[in-house]
Amino acid sequence: MRNWLSGLALAVFAAPTLFVLYKAVTVPDLTALTRFGATVLPGYVGNTLTLSAIALALALLFGVGGAFLVAFFRFPGRRLLDVALVLPLMLPSYLVAVVYREMSHLHTWSPAVESLGGAAVILALTLYPYVYLLTRAAFRRVAMGFIEVGQSLGLNRVEIARRALLPLAMPAIMLGGLLVVVEVVSDFGTASILGVRTLTTAVHRVWFSMFDEGLAAQVALIGTLFPLALVVLYGLVTRGRGFAGPSNRPIAPRRVALGRHAGRVALAFCGVPVVAGFVWPVAIMLFWAAGAFDRFRLDSLYHDLLHTLTVAAGTTVAAVAIGLGLALAARIGDRRAWRLGTLWAVSLNYVMPAIVLAVAMLFVSGWMYGSALGGWLVDSAALIVFATTLRFTAFAYFSTENGLQGVSTRVDEALLCSGRRRLSGLLRVVLPMIRGPVVVGALLVFVVAAKELTLGLVLQPFGFRSLAMSIYYFADIDLYGPAAIYALCLVMVVAYPVLSINRWLGAR
Amino acid sequence: MFAMRTLSALGLALSLGLTATAGAETTIRVLSDRTPAHLESLFKHYEQINGVKIEAVFVKKGLLARLKERPTEADLVITSTGDVLQEAKQEGLLRKYESKTIDATLAAEFRDPDDTYVTMNYRPRVIFASRERVKPGEVTGYADLVDPKWRGRVCVRSGYHEYNLSFLSQMAADKGLDATRSFIGGLKENLARTPNGNDRNQVRGIYEGVCDIALANSYYMPIMMSNPEQRPWGEATYVIFPDQDKGGAYVMRGTAGLTTAGDHVAEATKLLEYLVSKEGQEFVVNTTFEYPALAGVALPEAVRDLGKGQPGIEDGRFKARFIAMPQVTPQRDAVVTMLDEINFDSK
């Protein structure tokens, strides 16, 4: 029964990919792809890889560096930065791109960003919080026990960091890096605003300007290969390795005070991404919004807000239920193939560009449209919730999985010995132990679903408009004042969840 | 406890939202890839005078894909280029309209030969030139965009954008593929920068001194002039209607047609008739600054000012080169292939 249920869920998750695969292989011949490969494709692949590599390197620098500094050292502003470093997660990347592009046109001192490098920096600035949050949590969870062990073995701090802390935090760093790469590869907004041609922008134009479904599906699959390879790598690296701490109760590491000069350097290092990725863009948006407030009607904002909350809340409930179920089923099954299969199926919809999922869902909705129930689903926000659930369950699943890895298998053994039924044991004993990761997963899903744009644009039912969509419509016709008002409203929607994630992951 | 509270709050928000978004009434539904602001006020006005409800979705991406998958979800489709509706027609996604009014009032070039869609309004793809750096008469047609004289001085948006694809497809239908290929190649040679941003961004490039001439739709001039932040861009440039002595300027058509949905054909036809009626046309022309398909509709002053001083242009009226849509869309694949081969979008 359990396997049937999970199997069914996994089949639903794999369906959009199978749809794309079907579209890609059923083209009558390979002429279009060959021509594409001989002309523009290599450039797109090169751009995508370079963009990912630079953004990843910068995100790791900001994320791991920031986490390391705030977790292990004391310096002026540390308490504030502990929270502030996560703030850029509130802003959609494309919005930050719009702000920097506009500023570069208005003022000569503002750096030019309409280039691959500019796009990479902006993506890194808005995505590094993933790395930061996960790495800092890993440091906090395991650090003190191992630092003590290291000290008792006579290792110095550098050696402890290199030989114990970094390897222990590696799964978290990798997961954060993976999220960054996936977001970069499937990003459409930032790349198109800054004029960078990537595989994902190519999928958009092949699908919508050339009406060539086969070629679009083929290009989408090529774009998916790179992040998918990283998912496999993540699965291989974390497989069979225990990350359970020596103690069940994490002890916060004692922080070492930095000297005056080093303290300032640390402050600057952590302050730069916060200012560049959040404070500055938000300040500009406030300025724009202030200029447009008097000619703005608030009533349209209300509906957009309601729709955004509906989609975000609905997605959160569904994704957490499914993610939890799959993660627990994989743990009970305790089969490597099952775990890897789940990892793949759940990741697929997140790894693919959102547009691919959107078109797959259009196809499904066309097929449902004939029936009364199907018609109602398509006409309500349910279809969008369904799509965002397929896309973002990965967050809930990964987070839960990560939490489960921290629960020693000794707990399971003890439960078995006590003669409890396995499921009730999991629910009553293991679930409370992973409450933190589950809630974090839920909040993350809420944040990303609230910011989601592409699925809304393509699948919008009649009468539906989200905050993200309005931002897009206004920015598209260069009306930055109203766009900023909607953007600030979106920031308010995700502010509490983002700060809450930060608290759950151990900020003080 | 916290988790429970959060989840129940989420559940409540969900149920509230779902009831708010569901529940469709008997209404006319419109599917469009136009900018919402262009049509929303017109629809509101129509609702008031006719007592019907109009629901619209503005699908900027994948309108054709959506129409293909759910052919009957809307009653009327309105698009910003005729190419999309011509494709839709070929896919059998449009219904023939039956209207004596439209047949009687609209000129033949604005009606599809099979009566499946109409051109509501149109705007030429014109040349914006720097007031400072380009003398009147120095640039007169599309051929100037590829003249080596302007090497590194031309701004254009992505070649794959719907406007440029439609423009190049018209050129291909009109002048042949070889001429179009050399035009694309020459244009790329003359680019001042990698194509990026929308049409207005190209005009802004002139204002910023990046380029001297740019290709964009005509209505962006009045739109820029009515926006305090963009006014300087408009003031730095002037509009040249291209090829006035060589056949006329190519135009983008704003088109509308009925879908195959059968529930509200009469009401949708009435809305379609309204869109090309005098009142509807005045509304459209004044909100979009485009040219009306219906003869005898007055142009707003901002449009009448376009091309002032250019020989042959009077009160913004220009000579258009209407290429029949059935000849245009078959060129699209060849145009995209050429853009790929020339790698137009990367400098």
Side-chain angles (χ1 to χ4, degrees):
Chain A
M1 178 64 186
R2 188 182 65 228
N3 285 355
W4 275 104
L5 267 180
S6 321
L8 186 71
L10 292 185
V12 172
F13 274 87
T17 313
L18 293 177
F19 167 79
V20 178
L21 216 54
Y22 170 78
K23 288 275 176 197
V25 296
T26 50
V27 289
D29 59 73
L30 289 176
T31 338
L33 185 63
T34 319
R35 186 184 57 69
F36 213 61
T39 53
V40 283
L41 188 62
Y44 296 156
V45 172
N47 281 351
T48 306
L49 291 178
T50 319
L51 188 68
S52 313
I54 302 176
L56 177 64
L58 285 172
L60 288 179
L61 179 75
F62 296 145
V64 179
F68 188 70
L69 286 172
V70 299
F72 297 119
F73 299 97
R74 258 201 329 268
F75 54 92
R78 192 205 66 84
R79 274 165 173 277
L80 183 67
L81 285 169
D82 201 15
V83 179
L85 272 162
V86 79
L87 294 179
L89 195 58
M90 292 182 194
L91 300 177
S93 304
Y94 65 88
L95 211 58
V96 180
V98 166
V99 169
Y100 276 98
R101 188 189 68 182
E102 278 314 293
M103 293 314 282
S104 76
H105 280 284
L106 293 172
H107 308 286
T108 44
W109 46 261
S110 189
V113 287
E114 282 162 285
S115 63
L116 198 145
V121 172
I122 285 172
L123 285 165
L125 279 175
T126 46
L127 296 172
Y128 82 85
Y130 287 130
V131 181
Y132 168 73
L133 279 168
L134 292 165
T135 310
R136 194 190 55 186
F139 281 155
R140 293 248 162 90
R141 198 169 60 219
V142 296
M144 208 51 217
F146 285 96
I147 291 176
E148 279 167 359
V149 172
Q151 281 167 340
S152 68
L153 288 172
L155 298 176
N156 65 31
R157 295 194 75 88
V158 177
E159 276 177 303
I160 294 172
R162 190 174 61 81
R163 292 172 61 175
L165 299 181
L166 278 179
L168 279 165
M170 202 39 94
I173 297 175
M174 279 189 67
L175 186 57
L178 180 66
L179 290 175
V180 171
V181 170
V182 167
E183 291 282 343
V184 171
V185 171
S186 68
D187 163 81
F188 174 76
T190 310
S192 69
I193 282 165
L194 301 179
V196 180
R197 270 73 189 184
T198 63
L199 285 166
T200 296
T201 62
V203 173
H204 277 243
R205 76 127 159 115
V206 170
W207 218 308
F208 297 143
S209 302
M210 291 159 65
F211 315 124
D212 190 338
E213 293 182 348
L215 182 59
Q218 289 163 342
V219 177
L221 286 177
I222 294 170
T224 310
L225 287 179
F226 178 44
L228 215 52
L230 291 185
V231 174
V232 175
L233 191 67
Y234 173 77
L236 289 177
V237 169
T238 55
R239 188 189 63 188
R241 280 178 60 178
F243 296 98
S247 146
N248 277 337
R249 258 189 322 144
I251 314 160
R254 277 188 293 277
R255 297 191 184 85
V256 180
L258 287 177
R260 206 162 169 203
H261 184 65
R264 279 187 193 152
V265 174
L267 174 65
F269 183 88
C270 298
V272 164
V274 175
V275 171
F278 185 77
V279 178
W280 179 240
V282 168
I284 299 300
M285 280 191 264
L286 278 170
F287 178 71
W288 285 347
F293 212 76
D294 52 337
R295 33 183 175 137
F296 184 76
R297 294 201 325 270
L298 273 178
D299 54 344
S300 55
L301 192 71
Y302 165 75
H303 282 105
D304 289 18
L305 180 63
L306 187 67
H307 292 150
T308 299
L309 288 174
T310 306
V311 169
T315 311
T316 306
V317 172
V320 168
I322 297 169
L324 194 63
L326 288 176
L328 288 178
R331 186 178 174 94
I332 296 175
D334 199 27
R335 273 168 300 176
R336 191 179 292 169
W338 191 255
R339 237 200 90 201
L340 269 181
T342 312
L343 188 76
W344 267 70
V346 174
S347 314
L348 281 171
N349 294 313
Y350 179 56
V351 170
M352 278 192 303
I355 195 66
V356 175
L357 182 60
V359 175
M361 293 304 294
L362 261 190
F363 177 75
V364 173
S365 74
W367 169 70
M368 295 186 341
Y369 202 62
S371 69
L373 178 67
W376 178 82
L377 281 175
V378 173
D379 263 353
S380 70
L383 183 70
I384 295 188
V385 173
F386 185 29
T388 44
T389 304
L390 285 182
R391 186 157 171 79
F392 297 129
T393 295
F395 282 90
Y397 175 76
F398 270 79
S399 188
T400 310
E401 248 278 318
N402 215 288
L404 281 176
Q405 278 177 27
V407 178
S408 166
T409 45
R410 280 172 300 187
V411 175
D412 295 48
E413 286 155 16
L415 281 173
L416 274 185
C417 292
S418 73
R420 275 175 185 271
R421 284 177 58 101
R422 220 167 183 179
L423 187 64
S424 91
L426 279 176
L427 290 179
R428 288 178 178 209
V429 181
V430 177
L431 192 58
M433 290 174 79
I434 56 164
R435 197 181 61 162
V438 172
V439 174
V440 167
L443 293 167
L444 266 174
V445 172
F446 186 92
V447 172
V448 289
K451 295 197 290 186
E452 164 34 64
L453 172 65
T454 309
L455 294 171
L457 277 182
V458 176
L459 298 172
Q460 53 174 311
F462 283 88
F464 178 93
R465 197 177 297 175
S466 66
L467 292 170
M469 283 162 64
S470 283
I471 297 169
Y472 172 84
Y473 286 136
F474 283 120
D476 188 47
I477 51 172
D478 299 341
L479 287 178
Y480 299 120
I485 293 175
Y486 283 86
L488 291 169
C489 188
L490 183 60
V491 168
M492 283 190 266
V493 168
V494 297
Y496 178 73
V498 166
L499 292 174
S500 187
I501 293 169
N502 197 38
R503 219 176 39 233
W504 274 97
L505 288 178
R508 294 301 121 97
Chain B
M1 193 55 208
F2 168 80
M4 283 309 294
R5 256 185 300 147
T6 316
L7 286 180
S8 52
L10 290 181
L12 183 67
L14 172 69
S15 52
L16 275 175
L18 277 180
T19 35
T21 48
E25 301 162 24
T26 319
T27 47
I28 309 176
R29 289 185 151 188
V30 180
L31 187 63
S32 178
D33 62 1
R34 299 218 59 147
T35 301
H38 284 173
L39 290 171
E40 273 170 344
S41 51
L42 172 68
F43 289 162
K44 219 165 248 168
H45 178 69
Y46 187 82
E47 284 179 337
Q48 276 164 5
I49 54 171
N50 286 290
V52 289
K53 193 166 167 359
I54 299 178
E55 271 186 347
V57 284
F58 296 94
V59 187
K60 282 243 156 190
K61 285 184 173 298
L63 180 133
L64 195 64
R66 185 157 165 163
L67 193 58
K68 253 191 227 174
E69 299 300 349
R70 305 185 211 160
T72 57
E73 72 168 338
D75 304 296
L76 194 72
V77 207
I78 300 178
T79 61
S80 62
T81 60
D83 305 49
V84 176
L85 279 196
Q86 178 64 31
E87 293 277 352
K89 176 193 168 187
Q90 275 157 2
E91 301 266 354
L93 299 167
L94 298 183
R95 165 196 298 274
K96 226 172 140 151
Y97 60 79
E98 277 163 31
S99 163
K100 287 192 181 107
T101 335
I102 294 178
D103 288 344
T105 54
L106 221 51
E109 67 245 34
F110 300 127
R111 284 182 279 124
D112 165 57
D114 301 318
D115 282 357
T116 44
Y117 63 92
V118 297
T119 298
M120 287 165 55
N121 41 355
Y122 61 95
R123 62 282 196 200
R125 202 124 178 88
V126 298
I127 298 170
F128 282 73
S130 162
R131 279 190 189 279
E132 266 179 28
R133 302 183 292 276
V134 183
K135 288 196 279 295
E138 210 177 347
V139 170
T140 58
Y142 297 121
D144 289 307
L145 292 169
V146 299
D147 188 331
K149 179 180 169 189
W150 301 105
R151 179 126 323 160
R153 307 303 302 161
V154 180
C155 280
V156 182
R157 79 189 304 172
S158 164
Y160 303 101
H161 187 268
E162 193 57 35
Y163 292 154
N164 281 338
L165 283 181
S166 179
F167 168 74
L168 293 168
S169 301
Q170 291 179 47
M171 185 181 276
D174 190 23
K175 305 229 162 82
L177 286 176
D178 289 340
T180 309
R181 177 185 287 274
S182 52
F183 179 83
I184 298 173
L187 191 57
K188 191 189 170 180
E189 290 288 305
N190 278 1
L191 287 181
R193 60 178 179 198
T194 313
N196 186 33
N198 53 20
D199 271 1
R200 258 176 284 191
N201 231 313
Q202 316 311 317
V203 183
R204 189 186 203 176
I206 299 177
Y207 163 74
E208 289 171 348
V210 179
C211 39
D212 295 337
I213 47 179
L215 186 66
N217 289 350
S218 61
Y219 54 77
Y220 285 116
M221 179 61 102
I223 291 176
M224 287 185 296
M225 295 303 275
S226 62
N227 179 323
E229 284 99 41
Q230 296 168 6
R231 201 180 166 90
W233 316 347
E235 283 173 343
T237 56
Y238 63 99
V239 164
I240 298 161
F241 290 98
D243 291 355
Q244 292 303 290
D245 51 353
K246 286 183 230 154
Y250 296 125
V251 300
M252 309 283 117
R253 297 157 183 264
T255 47
L258 304 181
T259 68
T260 50
D263 291 345
H264 311 292
V265 180
E267 293 91 333
T269 310
K270 204 174 154 202
L271 176 57
L272 186 66
E273 284 172 345
Y274 178 76
L275 291 174
V276 292
S277 71
K278 190 153 191 287
E279 188 181 307
Q281 289 277 290
E282 274 168 1
F283 218 104
V284 170
V285 167
N286 281 294
T287 47
T288 63
F289 299 114
E290 295 187 14
Y291 288 82
L294 190 72
V297 174
L299 295 177
E301 198 182 339
V303 178
R304 288 205 302 272
D305 283 347
L306 296 176
K308 217 174 208 172
Q310 185 182 344
I313 304 297
E314 212 164 294
D315 283 342
R317 297 279 177 184
F318 68 101
K319 187 175 176 197
R321 178 113 176 99
F322 293 108
I323 312 288
M325 287 318 295
Q327 292 165 32
V328 176
T329 48
Q331 310 296 331
R332 184 180 273 250
D333 282 353
V335 166
V336 170
T337 305
M338 291 189 290
L339 287 166
D340 282 350
E341 283 166 1
I342 293 168
N343 205 353
F344 183 79
D345 268 11
S346 73
K347 204 173 131 40

